[in-house]
């Protein structure tokens, strides 16, 4: 898929290694200062109204019922829901007004009480306590959940508009700061789904920089969300992909589509937010470099066309102290299987696949090389139900859980960035081991299996092996890594 991280790193940092002048770390966003404006607003609202969360009526009748839309629910909806639930958003209905939201009150209450909304799958469990909190944690407090539940139970009262609470600005799903949007000039025509349902096309784009720049923000713009399954972004240091006719290499497989000097720097999956590296961390892009988007298209029931998939980029011209890359571990990434070739038998529940990657892959990586993990993401398909990633210390054998997603949902995938200063992020040394464990349920009890089978016209589970297609699976984690003195 691509070369193991430390092997590439050793080559890239050889001069620095000789001088013994390397080091590393990372989180995402801004030196560990989380974007807490919206969360603070919603928490404040929940705190001030929690005492009123039991539905009651006063002397003025329905307008005095608490909780109500104007005083209690609207601020929560703005802070936690309206990034997606707005006109033209990715959610199926808007929640920007009382009239739009009231019919959905019972559904909303159920979704927030069982924690399926807002979507957030990196949770603490009995076997996983991540080393740091995550940025942009979308989970609601118990008090906030109670407000939604009690509002629905009371019949979703509107309340008095004159008493409306101030509304926070909904968090943006777009890349912040000054950006350069680079759209692919290619138009991709996809036939209707048939025997072949999955296509992998590589799109080469010129970021347009005339000087060396350092990417610290990256957002994929999916032109046709109905068929764009996922996107991987590679740096093509030699610009060789510029020779592709029309900037496209069709059926390029799961990688960059070229041999030689390429490095994975990010990706996009449904529900994913922009990738923002920590402060003073970036990916180097010299002049003449091209960016390659490996776009996985999933065919639909009718022919489709994609005309706008591209990138929004944010960069600096000053070299940061840390270089950034993503490493893929598991299947089809780096590392060794502990359970043999990935295969999930039909009808099997609780099936486990495990992988281990030794940092450095047998090479001598001096401890002076400072490498930190600033983000983690999990990836499976629709048979998956739980995934956990841990780091084993080479000296003590102690394990640190980096990420667990115990209620896996293929429709909501994202990277999770740690909320800690770069110099305090989890360090990785040569000889440490990264363990990836995936759990699957290949029975009709799994809604994902039902969906997968219905898509291909089957009514009973089948054996599932590793691959890119609908009837295939993966067990893959991506780690955002920062290297000091790159």
């Amino acid at each position: 898929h691509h070369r193991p991280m430390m092997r590439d790193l050793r080559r890239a940092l050889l001069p620095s290694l000789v001088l013994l002048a390397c080091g590393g770390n990372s989180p995402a966003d801004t030196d560990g200062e989380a974007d807490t404006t919206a969360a603070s607003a919603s928490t404040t609202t929940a705190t001030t109204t929690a005492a009123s969360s039991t539905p009651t009526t006063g002397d003025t009748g329905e307008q005095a019922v608490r909780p109500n839309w104007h005083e209690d629910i609207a601020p929560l909806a703005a802070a936690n829901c309206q990034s997606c639930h707005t006109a033209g958003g990715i959610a199926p209905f808007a929640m920007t007004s009382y009239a739009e939201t009231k019919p959905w009150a019972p559904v909303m209450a159920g979704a927030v009480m069982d924690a399926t909304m807002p979507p957030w799958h990196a949770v603490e469990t009995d076997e996983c306590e991540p080393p740091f909190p995550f940025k942009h944690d979308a989970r609601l407090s118990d008090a906030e959940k109670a407000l939604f539940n009690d509002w629905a139970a009371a019949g979703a009262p509107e309340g008095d508009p004159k008493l409306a609470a101030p509304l926070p600005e909904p968090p943006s799903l777009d890349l912040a700061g000054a950006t350069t949007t680079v759209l692919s000039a290619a138009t991709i025509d996809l036939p209707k789904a048939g025997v072949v349902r999955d296509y992998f096309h590589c799109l080469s784009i010129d970021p347009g920089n005339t000087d060396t720049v350092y990417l610290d923000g990256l957002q994929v713009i999916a032109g046709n969300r109905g068929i764009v399954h996922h996107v991987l972004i590679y740096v093509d240091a030699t610009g060789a992909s510029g020779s592709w006719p029309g900037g496209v290499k069709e059926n390029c497989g799961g990688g960059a589509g070229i041999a030689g000097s390429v490095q994975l720097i990010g990706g996009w999956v449904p529900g994913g937010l922009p990738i923002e590296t920590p402060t003073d961390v970036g990916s180097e892009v010299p002049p003449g470099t091209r960016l390659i988007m490996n776009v996985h298209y999933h065919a639909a029931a009718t022919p489709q066309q994609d005309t706008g998939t591209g990138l929004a980029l944010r960069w600096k011209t000053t070299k940061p102290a840390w270089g950034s890359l993503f490493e893929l571990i598991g299947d089809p990434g780096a590392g060794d299987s502990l359970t043999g070739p990935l295969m999930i038998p039909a009808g099997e529940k609780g099936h486990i696949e495990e992988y281990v990657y030794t940092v450095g892959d047998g090479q001598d990586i001096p401890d002076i090389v400072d490498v930190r993990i600033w983000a983690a993401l999990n990836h499976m398909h629709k048979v998956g139900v739980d995934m956990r990633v841990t780091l084993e210390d080479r000296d003590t054998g102690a394990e640190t859980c980096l990420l667990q997603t115990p209620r896996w949902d293929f429709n909501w995938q994202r990277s999770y960035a740690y909320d800690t200063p770069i110099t305090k992020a989890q360090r990785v040394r040569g000889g440490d081991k990264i363990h990836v464990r995936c759990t699957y349920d290949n029975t009709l009890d799994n809604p994902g299996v039902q969906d997968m089978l219905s898509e291909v016209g089957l009514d009973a589970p089948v054996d599932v092996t590793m691959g890119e297609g609908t009837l295939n699976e993966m067990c893959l984690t991506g780690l955002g890594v920062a290297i000091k003195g790159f």
Side-chain angles (χ1 to χ4, degrees), residues 42-185:
S42 62
T43 301
T44 300
T45 302
T47 302
T48 57
T49 59
S52 305
S53 63
T54 300
T56 58
T57 58
D59 295 337
T60 56
E62 183 178 339
Q63 285 192 336
V65 174
R66 301 290 299 276
N68 62 56
W69 169 258
H70 289 295
E71 295 179 81
D72 306 297
I73 303 302
L76 289 179
N80 300 284
C81 310
Q82 290 177 9
S83 292
C84 298
H85 288 271
T86 188
I90 63 174
F93 58 90
M95 292 173 55
T96 53
S97 70
Y98 173 69
E100 291 171 331
T101 312
K102 179 182 178 181
W104 298 99
V107 175
M108 292 164 55
V112 300
M113 293 304 290
D114 68 11
T116 57
M117 286 287 157
W120 181 268
H121 297 92
V123 300
E124 300 80 12
T125 70
D126 291 341
E127 59 178 0
C128 185
E129 186 70 35
F132 309 101
F134 293 106
K135 286 182 173 294
H136 307 300
D137 194 327
R139 289 175 288 184
L140 299 177
S141 68
D142 289 343
E144 291 168 329
K145 292 178 182 179
L147 286 170
F148 278 106
N149 191 59
D150 293 340
W151 182 59
E158 180 178 10
D160 188 349
K162 296 179 182 179
L163 300 177
L167 299 181
E169 188 71 21
S172 176
L173 298 182
D174 294 327
L175 184 62
T179 63
T180 299
T181 300
V182 186
L183 293 178
S184 168

Side-chain angles (χ1 to χ4, degrees), residues 404-422:
Q404 186 170 15
T405 49
R407 298 178 65 182
W408 175 254
D409 185 344
F410 176 80
N411 297 306
W412 290 103
Q413 304 179 51
R414 59 170 295 174
S415 60
Y416 296 90
Y418 299 110
D419 187 7
T420 188
I422 186 70

